[in-house]
């Protein structure tokens, strides 16, 4: 009777493969997570432009910008022809409300911004304020 040898991987071979996969993951993961943060910044910029369009449409209908963003969704003012956004006012990608002020900064009629990842004024990199330009 002939005994056949079983073929397969040894424990050492499996450990080597796991170590290689771990090294590859440690190189790739930081780059992937930095892309998540930059995509959130781009999402905030896009939402700011969407809200700006709604604010401008409101101003065309009523002659002035609203006192707060909620007036884009519901208002009892004369000539109001909204809602000016398809859904509720979105939160920024970090779950914080956008900051809207009338009158705006530097003599502008309004200012619209997100405080970024940290939700506080100022900051750098991912925590930097995102201001509608």
């Amino acid at each position: 009777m002939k005994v056949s040898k079983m073929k397969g991987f040894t424990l050492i071979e499996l450990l080597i493969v796991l170590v290689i996969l771990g090294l590859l993951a440690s190189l790739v993961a930081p780059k992937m997570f930095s892309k998540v943060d930059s995509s959130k910044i781009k999402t905030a910029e896009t939402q700011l432009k969407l809200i700006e369009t709604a604010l401008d449409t409101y101003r065309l209908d009523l002659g002035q910008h609203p006192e707060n963003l909620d007036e884009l969704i519901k208002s009892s003012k004369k000539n109001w022809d909204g809602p000016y956004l398809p859904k509720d006012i979105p939160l920024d990608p970090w779950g914080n409300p956008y900051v809207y002020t009338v009158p705006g900064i530097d003599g502008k009629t309004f200012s619209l911004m997100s405080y970024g990842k940290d939700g506080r004024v100022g900051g750098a990199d991912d925590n930097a304020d995102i201001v509608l330009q």
Side-chain angles (χ1 to χ4, degrees), residues 114-129:
S114 166
Y115 287 148
K117 186 176 182 178
D118 63 356
R120 294 185 299 212
V121 176
D125 300 323
D126 297 337
N127 294 328
D129 296 347

Side-chain angles (χ1 to χ4, degrees), residues 55-131:
L55 288 167
D56 289 341
T57 306
Y58 180 100
R59 184 184 54 80
L60 288 172
D61 287 347
L62 282 89
Q64 63 185 26
H65 286 100
E67 295 172 17
N68 58 60
L69 292 178
D70 292 332
E71 289 184 38
L72 295 173
I73 303 300
K74 186 176 181 182
S75 178
S76 59
K77 292 186 177 181
K78 185 180 177 189
N79 294 332
W80 188 84
D81 194 26
Y84 296 95
L85 288 172
K87 296 181 180 179
D88 290 339
I89 307 297
L91 296 175
D92 71 10
W94 300 278
N96 302 312
Y98 285 103
V99 179
Y100 171 71
T101 55
V102 176
I105 302 168
D106 297 330
K108 295 182 181 178
T109 56
F110 71 91
S111 293
L112 187 61
M113 70 180 79
S114 166
Y115 287 148
K117 186 176 182 178
D118 63 356
R120 294 185 299 212
V121 176
D125 300 323
D126 297 337
N127 294 328
D129 296 347
I130 302 163
V131 180

